[in-house]
Amino acid sequence: MSAGAPRGAGGAGDGGGLRASLSGLTTRGRSFLAAGIAAAACAYVLGQGELLRVGLLLILLPLICVYALHRTRYRVSGSRRLSPERVPAGAEARVQLRMDNVSRLPTGLLMLQDRVPYVLGPRPRFVLDRVEPGGRREVSYRVRSDLRGRYPLGPLQLRLTDPFGLVELTRSFSTYDTLTVIPRTEPLPPVRLAGESNGYGDGSRRSLALAGDDDVIPRGYRRGDDLRRVHWRSTARYGELMVRREEQPQRSRATVLLDTRRLAYDGAGPDSAFEWAVSAAASSLVHVLEQGFSVRLLTDTGNSVPGEGGGGFSSGGQESAEAAGLMMDTLAVVGHSDGAGLSRAYDAVRGSGGYDTGGGDGLLVAFFGDLDDVQTELAAKMRQRTSGAVAFVLDTAAWGGQPAPGHAVPPLEERLHRLRDAGWTALAAPPGVAFGELWRQAGTARVGTATSGGRE
């Protein structure tokens, strides 16, 4: 559902029947009913007709209220509107509730309660006055989470009471919405990374007519086309004016690799190393998409997003926007993997077909946790399939954690040195560093030079 469009309420989930509605009698309603029965019994024994009429009134009043609310509860519709449906961590989303009385009778007092996860804040409750026939009431509340994830909102519960407070009935609507909290992102400076070609430009153009006229791919003439591009042989063949399509811009490709191995990180929470890596990966994805790249998100498990055709890379236009949303949704829920190595990611980079032979024009941006000797060597080999590669390496010890038992990790400087020797632009990511600053350093560093995160 797009943000701003109301979502209709589903059917009630409480069953039905007047017998079930009788259970909604309040203490006052039950007292009225008991008093009426007692009065009627005394009137019968004592032969008091006036007392009998009072007893019948006390009995009928709660029953009439039960019947009226039973009919009304299924003639009140509810809807919810969530705007926006995808927000960064720490940002607020607005939830608007709307109640419509579609019956011919006014409602009594209405109490609304929407079910939300505790991480989004307290459960919202509202009290609405009497709603006239065909009337509408709207209320809203805000939700906010510092933790990324997908959170269900609903179902909406409606509690109805009569004007006398004799009956209280509850209706639960079956529909719900989902709020997606994506990682925080920060704008990155427009730097040129080592080995990177522009998203569009000379480095990414491919000629479609390199071998003469026979290899020209023609297309139909469009208003405004240069007549000097008319291809007369194809025009004679097809019987309509055709022009040469000599050059077509091809988007350069970029892969953002996120190491999610559980043994590579220690700690949890918004300030942990893993959450920093997820947020930085999201910032990288947004940046390279804005630069016109065809992008994919890759994890150590070998899974690629969006992963449909073209080696798993996003396409242009509207499809690129949809792919960006899919990658951000993936990062909203990504967690630790139980894998021990980067072999699957290495195979995905080596066999993706996403890089040209002869060096390739692909950019690889990687976020690594702790790397032992074997994984450091494997990460170094990934550079062979790219024309530019940047690695941001997080050290568990620097972030206040401890490496996994039995996981021998060489010193950080040694890991960085081995990656740089393989051609990576490798930087350390210490706690509290702004990723935009590291990105700027990656643009100014030469391949193989020693660079420390947070200072040049």
Side-chain angles (χ1 to χ4, degrees), residues 309-324:
F313 292 86
S314 63
S315 303
Q318 182 63 27
E319 294 182 2
S320 181
E322 294 175 356

Side-chain angles (χ1 to χ4, degrees), residues 51-214:
L51 184 58
L52 179 60
R53 284 193 290 271
V54 173
L56 291 177
L57 176 62
L58 294 176
I59 294 173
L60 290 176
L61 185 59
L63 297 179
I64 292 174
C65 291
V66 168
Y67 179 76
L69 285 186
H70 174 75
R71 294 290 304 273
T72 302
R73 119 169 119 161
Y74 295 107
R75 294 182 180 272
V76 177
S77 64
S79 62
R80 181 190 299 103
R81 183 171 58 188
L82 175 62
S83 176
E85 294 185 339
R86 183 188 292 119
V87 296
E92 288 187 341
R94 185 169 180 264
V95 184
Q96 186 171 359
L97 305 176
R98 190 179 76 185
M99 304 304 301
D100 294 277
N101 182 13
V102 297
S103 70
R104 302 177 184 176
L105 299 175
T107 68
L109 195 66
L110 300 179
M111 287 174 282
L112 299 180
Q113 177 176 279
D114 208 9
R115 183 175 298 175
V116 300
Y118 72 93
V119 296
L120 298 183
R123 182 170 296 183
R125 295 181 176 89
F126 304 94
V127 178
L128 304 180
D129 292 332
R130 171 181 181 274
V131 182
E132 66 279 3
R136 174 188 301 174
R137 297 289 186 272
E138 293 186 355
V139 294
S140 63
Y141 64 94
R142 295 184 179 275
V143 291
R144 176 181 179 275
S145 174
D146 292 326
L147 300 175
R148 58 186 176 84
R150 292 174 62 88
Y151 302 101
L153 301 178
L156 176 65
Q157 289 185 335
L158 172 65
R159 189 179 302 170
L160 302 91
T161 60
D162 66 285
F164 304 103
L166 303 178
V167 186
E168 184 177 282
L169 298 180
T170 301
R171 177 182 180 184
S172 293
F173 298 94
S174 60
T175 58
Y176 65 92
D177 289 271
T178 301
L179 174 68
T180 302
V181 180
I182 62 177
R184 291 187 181 93
T185 59
E186 58 178 295
L188 302 180
V191 299
R192 185 179 179 87
L193 302 177
E196 173 191 352
S197 61
N198 294 329
Y200 294 101
D202 295 338
S204 57
R205 290 185 177 273
R206 300 292 178 266
S207 175
L208 298 179
L210 299 179
D213 276 355
D214 291 339

